[in-house]
Amino acid sequence: MFNKILIANRGEIAIRIIRACKELGISTVAVHSTADEHSLHVRFADESVCIGPSASEKSYLNVPAIISAAEITGADAIHPGYGFLAENAGFAEICKSCKITFIGPTADHIRQMGHKSTARELSEQIGVPVVPGSNVTLESAEDALESAGEIGYPIILKAASGGGGRGMRIVRSDKELATSFEVVRSEAGAAFGDPSIYMEKYIENPKHVEMQIMADAHGNVIHLGERECSIQRRHQKLIEEAPSATLSADTREAMGQSAIALARQIGYKSLGTVEFLCDKDENYYFIEMNTRIQVEHTVTECVTGLDLVKEQIRIAAGESLRFGQKDIRIYGHSIECRVNAEDPYNFLPSPGVISGLNIPGGPGIRVDTALYVQSEVTSHYESLVAKLIVHGIDRAEAMAKMNRALSEFHIGGIKTTIPLHIDILASDEFIDGSYHTGSLDSMLARM
Ligand code: MV4
């Protein structure tokens, strides 16, 4: 096992990782920007190193500063959290060449899954369902027209190196295609340094359902069930739940086996998330694989009783999984609301100093946050300030707990998305579980 881990992140996830390290008896090194000098993650870690000014590019993305911090403090591993360097294959490679363990998959696996059309092709080859689409990247607008002719409109153009909703465009006719092709191509080139794009049949109003998997270095691969993440706006998730309110046991099992097959095929070793789109007839299609610990891992932790961050660290240290698929049970129901420092009605950032804080509690309530009274929420970083997670015996109890916890939650000094969560939880589509990726936009239009 590692002696000392450097956490290359900030906010709630840095604290989450420090907590896992403490329970494993591992020393921790926090890194921070000048803006985060007084942050809770710095106080909770055994040691801390300032790695640069406020701007992320100069601190949390500053690879030489982070590697130097690890070397100076003698850290034997780096946990990247989510965002920042978590899916940066070059960073994973640099860690390796410096003999520091990157807590995550290999650089090759990050790269392979980061290229979405490669991941798609691989899935198709092993019989994992994919949306009908072009199996290679499209070289020209003529290529695109030919593929669209075979697939049929509407189609969606996706940047091969994009993901998470960046670099994509829906196209509904031949007429739009030539222009959209050039637009996505140049956006992709500028944003990801890779202009290659591919095409898929566009599924209208799908659910976004993802499978959590765990794979060790000894060939053991298991899944931990799904998370339903369809409440999203501009590709930012707002609410996640486990299990899905509507997925049948058969579909869950098939989706889990698909996720495992993909991980096995590439010899993947770490935690991972395999994302699927699911239509109203429960046809499911692979879209992407994420190779990091995700924001919403918490709902899977609640329903499985496992600590995913500790397991991720154990896997990186070469340990075998201590349980097989038959040991995994899903208990009850969990829901997470992401609390952002934003105006709940126009989503504009709302930075400020926290003037008061009431954190909900009681049975089945978990709050992951780096907030404290007098702490400052700056606009240098993403606006997630707290995750409110509930766990109940069933979905009805989880919703009642979430409503109760949201009503107790007070964050003074900034605007937050708490009032919006109260409205979403009261909607018919959320209550009956029929909501899909288009639902939040239509709810917002009605509000
Ligand atoms: C799709 C899709 C429909 N059909 N792919 C969005 C996030 C990224 N992981 C993949 N995404 C989608 N891929 C096919 N073949 C619908 C989405 C999607 C979406 C697309 C455009 C605008 C908003 C969206 C919201 C949720 C999901």
Side-chain angles (χ1 to χ4, degrees):
M1 186 40 77
F2 307 116
N3 289 312
K4 194 185 273 192
I5 294 177
L6 180 144
I7 297 95
N9 215 301
R10 65 182 300 283
E12 68 85 19
I13 194 64
I15 291 171
R16 171 72 192 82
I17 297 161
I18 291 168
R19 286 178 171 150
C21 292
K22 285 183 179 173
E23 290 178 23
L24 288 169
I26 300 168
S27 307
T28 53
V29 181
V31 294
H32 66 89
S33 65
T34 50
D36 282 340
E37 187 185 348
H38 303 291
S39 294
L40 212 53
H41 78 281
V42 173
R43 281 201 257 161
F44 280 7
D46 298 307
E47 293 170 81
S48 65
V49 180
C50 181
I51 49 167
S54 311
S56 299
E57 304 72 48
K58 297 191 166 161
S59 48
Y60 298 102
L61 292 170
N62 183 344
V63 173
I66 292 166
I67 296 287
S68 303
E71 299 206 311
I72 291 163
T73 55
D76 36 26
I78 296 182
H79 197 306
Y82 54 68
F84 296 128
L85 299 166
E87 286 169 298
N88 185 317
F91 179 64
E93 228 150 47
I94 290 169
C95 289
K96 187 165 192 218
S97 69
C98 296
K99 306 214 170 1
I100 298 165
T101 303
F102 175 82
I103 301 179
T106 63
D108 282 346
H109 286 146
I110 297 175
R111 215 169 262 128
Q112 211 172 355
M113 292 300 116
H115 197 267
K116 309 297 163 184
S117 66
T118 304
R120 181 193 142 80
E121 250 176 90
L122 206 74
S123 296
E124 185 169 46
Q125 278 166 19
I126 61 170
V128 169
V130 296
V131 195
S134 66
N135 265 346
V136 286
T137 54
L138 303 160
E139 294 307 320
S140 64
E142 290 71 51
D143 254 15
L145 276 168
E146 194 184 319
S147 286
E150 288 162 18
I151 299 163
Y153 291 102
I155 59 97
I156 183 166
L157 292 173
K158 296 184 174 184
S161 296
R166 301 192 313 142
M168 50 182 60
R169 204 170 181 113
I170 302 156
V171 183
R172 297 184 184 275
S173 68
D174 275 354
K175 198 163 142 277
E176 293 168 51
L177 186 55
T179 319
S180 294
F181 181 85
E182 295 309 330
V183 171
V184 176
R185 218 178 139 72
S186 64
E187 280 174 359
F192 317 115
D194 172 13
S196 43
I197 59 182
Y198 64 108
M199 177 186 295
E200 283 176 351
K201 175 88 184 167
Y202 180 64
I203 313 285
E204 305 272 2
N205 295 330
K207 280 174 169 275
H208 171 131
V209 180
E210 57 187 33
M211 274 284 160
Q212 178 72 55
I213 59 140
M214 223 183 238
D216 68 17
H218 311 277
N220 304 301
V221 188
I222 62 172
H223 77 80
L224 304 180
E226 82 283 9
R227 295 185 286 261
E228 151 81 60
C229 311
S230 301
I231 298 287
Q232 44 177 284
R233 181 184 167 273
R234 299 195 181 165
H235 306 293
Q236 294 293 320
K237 296 166 185 164
L238 275 81
I239 302 181
E240 304 93 350
E241 60 180 316
S244 156
T246 57
L247 207 67
S248 69
D250 285 352
T251 307
R252 170 174 306 116
E253 179 55 20
M255 217 183 246
Q257 291 311 317
S258 289
I260 288 173
L262 181 59
R264 277 201 190 288
Q265 179 64 20
I266 61 174
Y268 188 81
K269 299 167 191 65
S270 188
L271 297 192
T273 301
V274 184
E275 292 186 5
F276 299 95
L277 296 179
C278 196
D279 69 19
K280 50 186 180 318
D281 302 320
E282 283 203 15
N283 296 306
Y284 70 87
Y285 309 95
F286 167 82
I287 48 168
E288 296 179 13
M289 179 168 179
N290 300 320
T291 57
R292 61 178 185 276
I293 185 89
Q294 292 191 260
V295 174
E296 63 272 24
H297 75 278
T298 52
V299 293
T300 301
E301 291 188 321
C302 284
V303 297
T304 58
L306 296 173
D307 182 321
L308 296 194
V309 177
K310 284 203 270 186
E311 298 308 332
Q312 186 186 29
I313 294 169
R314 286 194 172 102
I315 291 169
E319 292 185 12
S320 294
L321 295 184
R322 295 162 306 151
F323 27 77
Q325 192 66 57
K326 64 174 188 336
D327 304 314
I328 304 300
R329 292 247 150 35
I330 304 297
Y331 301 93
H333 200 96
S334 179
I335 306 174
E336 170 175 274
C337 284
R338 297 190 187 192
V339 178
N340 289 333
E342 289 171 1
D343 182 304
Y345 301 107
N346 62 20
F347 300 96
L348 290 175
S350 178
V353 173
I354 302 303
S355 57
L357 192 60
N358 280 328
I359 296 201
I365 307 292
R366 167 175 171 184
V367 178
D368 281 18
T369 184
L371 293 181
Y372 59 89
V373 174
Q374 295 304 324
S375 64
E376 193 181 350
V377 176
T378 79
S379 46
H380 294 291
Y381 313 108
E382 58 146 32
S383 61
L384 181 77
V385 291
K387 304 193 306 205
L388 171 57
I389 307 109
V390 301
H391 185 209
I393 196 154
D394 55 21
R395 190 167 186 265
E397 190 185 58
M399 283 196 290
K401 275 186 194 289
M402 184 58 88
N403 279 314
R404 191 266 289 168
L406 286 166
S407 74
E408 290 177 5
F409 210 165
H410 168 76
I411 302 176
I414 58 168
K415 289 180 187 164
T416 76
T417 47
I418 291 172
L420 175 63
H421 286 303
I422 293 171
D423 292 342
I424 297 171
L425 258 85
S427 70
D428 293 340
E429 293 131 292
F430 194 87
I431 292 168
D432 69 19
S434 66
Y435 66 87
H436 50 72
T437 51
S439 299
L440 180 59
D441 284 343
S442 45
M443 280 180 217
L444 291 169
R446 290 195 302 267
M447 276 150 92

